[in-house]
Amino acid sequence: MKSWKRVFTAVLAAAMMLACLSGCGGNSGNSGGNSGGNGGSNAGAGSSSGAKTKITLRIGSGHSESNPWITALEDHFVKNVSERVSAETDYEIEWVKSYGGSVISLGNELQGIQDGLVDIGCIILVFEASRLPLQTMVYSMPFSCSDPLIMRDVIKDLHAAYPEFTSTYSEQYNQQFLGIGVSDPYGFYSTTEVKSLADVNGMKIGAAGINLGWIEGSGAVGLQTSLNDTYQNLQTNVCGATIQPTHSCVNLKVYEVAPYYLDANFNVVPFNAITCNTDTWNDLPQEVQKILSEVGESYLDYEADYISKVHAQDIEDLKSLGCTINELSFEEQQKWAATLPDLVHGLVGTLNDNGYSGSEIVTKFYELLDAKGVPMVRDWDLS
């Protein structure tokens, strides 16, 4: 009997020791996971992952990763935010990605971010002229500048001089501005060769949104289109040419159905804005907000440099694919611009009507270009 009692006592002691060790181990692991506090967004209140608290952020756009501004969003913004948050804070980011219109469709990014369909979005500005007239103003200033690096510097100076370029998002659309990018030069792809204004007479030209203003008066007919249906429209002769960002058309193999490329100096424009839903923003820890703002601000430098290199390679690739490359001379640019309605004068009026100092801001834009050695193609009425 005594032997049985000794065995029972030993087993009971061992069990109590194992329970104690297990409890100590669990408390040790939880202390690190909970030290970060509440790191939530409207995508989730945050969950512990090892020593870090996880923050889930949903990011999306109507454009796919094949477009260079979305490639740059992934390679620079997402990558650096993830790395810095992990290295500098007690949090880590888990991204839920929805590019290519899977959650917010092309042209509806501003509304989708405002409504909280995603936490962070990349707004394609060409479709938002009515709601963001200041941010899209360069679309009404054709033949301005086709150098992404010059446009980058002009954007920086404008944003520094006029904070309304960024404050509009928080004041009107429930969003925190994080960053902006530029387009690659808008190229002119056509099924027949174009070297001059006369060559487009009677041609049907596809363009997106406000870009149609670049065609009005030229003798051509503008058709509303988008990148997504450009190839088919050219293939089926719905249009004989298109004005679209060059690289996106290269990725879509538009050169297969439109093997003539014209560099017409239509424009590089402020093309995409990165914003965060305000409700999400307010839920984020301050150190994460700081990183998002800093990486968002640096996106323009990275993206403009990337766009510039990509465009140079695109032109070489188009040549190697057998495409015919032409440049519209300055004189022909002047002729084309002269046929257009006074778009810039209309822009000034629109900005004034929306409470901005239209004439002052537009004049400043051209002064900044002039300081960079970029001449005005047309003497627009800036009054």
Side-chain angles (χ1 to χ4, degrees):
M1 180 64 70
K2 290 181 180 180
S3 176
W4 178 86
K5 288 182 178 180
R6 284 196 297 270
V7 171
F8 177 80
T9 301
V11 171
L12 181 62
M16 292 177 64
M17 182 174 293
L18 286 172
C20 180
L21 289 173
S22 176
C24 291
N27 290 336
S28 174
N30 287 336
S31 63
N34 292 331
S35 64
N38 180 15
S41 74
N42 70 353
S47 59
S48 65
S49 176
K52 300 286 185 180
T53 297
K54 184 185 297 181
I55 297 174
T56 300
L57 290 176
R58 301 161 300 162
I59 186 169
S61 179
H63 273 164
S64 69
E65 291 180 70
S66 63
N67 296 287
W69 38 90
I70 304 297
T71 302
L73 182 73
E74 274 289 296
D75 292 350
H76 180 76
F77 181 80
V78 170
K79 176 177 180 291
N80 282 281
V81 168
S82 296
E83 291 178 353
R84 285 192 55 186
V85 168
S86 181
E88 300 172 23
T89 76
D90 291 328
Y91 305 93
E92 64 179 10
I93 304 295
E94 179 180 67
W95 298 97
V96 178
K97 302 173 184 179
S98 56
Y99 303 126
S102 58
V103 172
I104 46 176
S105 61
L106 184 61
N108 291 302
E109 294 95 350
L110 182 67
Q111 187 67 52
I113 301 163
Q114 181 177 356
D115 293 342
L117 298 181
V118 295
D119 300 303
I120 296 175
C122 186
I123 301 166
I124 308 305
L125 294 173
V126 65
F127 300 106
E128 296 294 352
S130 61
R131 301 215 295 170
L132 297 171
L134 182 65
Q135 292 75 9
T136 58
M137 72 177 200
V138 183
Y139 281 100
S140 296
M141 309 166 82
F143 302 101
S144 293
C145 174
S146 287
D147 187 326
L149 302 182
I150 291 177
M151 188 58 69
R152 171 201 63 192
D153 294 342
V154 169
I155 291 171
K156 285 183 177 181
D157 290 341
L158 283 176
H159 280 208
Y162 302 100
E164 51 265 45
F165 273 95
T166 59
S167 63
T168 301
Y169 294 95
S170 58
E171 292 171 358
Q172 299 184 33
Y173 299 113
N174 191 42
Q175 293 166 55
Q176 174 73 24
F177 175 84
L178 298 177
I180 193 164
V182 298
S183 68
D184 52 333
Y186 271 79
F188 186 93
Y189 290 84
S190 58
T191 56
T192 58
E193 189 169 15
V194 172
K195 294 182 179 180
S196 67
L197 173 64
D199 293 335
V200 303
N201 188 44
M203 181 178 284
K204 294 180 180 179
I205 302 175
I210 199 170
N211 291 347
L212 290 168
W214 304 353
I215 301 165
E216 186 179 355
S218 67
V221 177
L223 299 175
Q224 175 66 41
T225 187
S226 70
L227 278 170
N228 297 341
D229 52 20
T230 290
Y231 188 103
Q232 183 177 6
N233 284 347
L234 289 163
Q235 186 181 41
T236 57
N237 295 317
V238 171
C239 58
T242 190
I243 301 173
Q244 298 284 0
T246 301
H247 185 68
S248 299
C249 285
V250 170
N251 282 338
L252 292 170
K253 298 185 178 181
V254 168
Y255 53 81
E256 293 179 346
V257 290
Y260 298 96
Y261 179 88
L262 178 68
D263 178 1
N265 186 37
F266 281 123
N267 257 352
V268 165
V269 298
F271 189 80
N272 59 302
I274 307 169
T275 66
C276 179
N277 175 275
T278 298
D279 299 322
T280 296
W281 179 261
N282 291 337
D283 283 343
L284 293 172
Q286 288 186 357
E287 57 265 49
V288 175
Q289 292 178 347
K290 179 174 182 289
I291 291 170
L292 285 168
S293 294
E294 290 175 353
V295 177
E297 183 178 3
S298 67
Y299 170 81
L300 177 57
D301 279 329
Y302 177 90
E303 192 255 10
D305 183 63
Y306 175 68
I307 287 278
S308 185
K309 293 174 181 176
V310 165
H311 182 69
Q313 185 60 53
D314 283 338
I315 298 302
E316 293 305 311
D317 289 345
L318 288 172
K319 290 177 181 177
S320 68
L321 289 164
C323 294
T324 300
I325 311 293
N326 290 306
E327 290 188 16
L328 194 65
S329 69
F330 187 75
E331 291 72 24
E332 287 295 325
Q333 292 176 38
Q334 290 178 309
K335 289 180 183 178
W336 191 317
T339 70
L340 303 178
D342 197 341
L343 299 173
V344 178
H345 181 70
L347 167 67
V348 170
T350 298
L351 294 179
N352 289 338
D353 291 343
N354 281 272
Y356 303 114
S357 301
S359 181
E360 178 185 336
I361 295 172
V362 171
T363 298
K364 179 69 170 179
F365 175 83
Y366 283 117
E367 288 175 350
L368 291 169
L369 286 181
D370 182 65
K372 295 284 187 180
V374 180
M376 287 181 68
V377 173
R378 171 175 165 174
D379 186 14
W380 304 96
D381 181 0
L382 306 183
S383 63

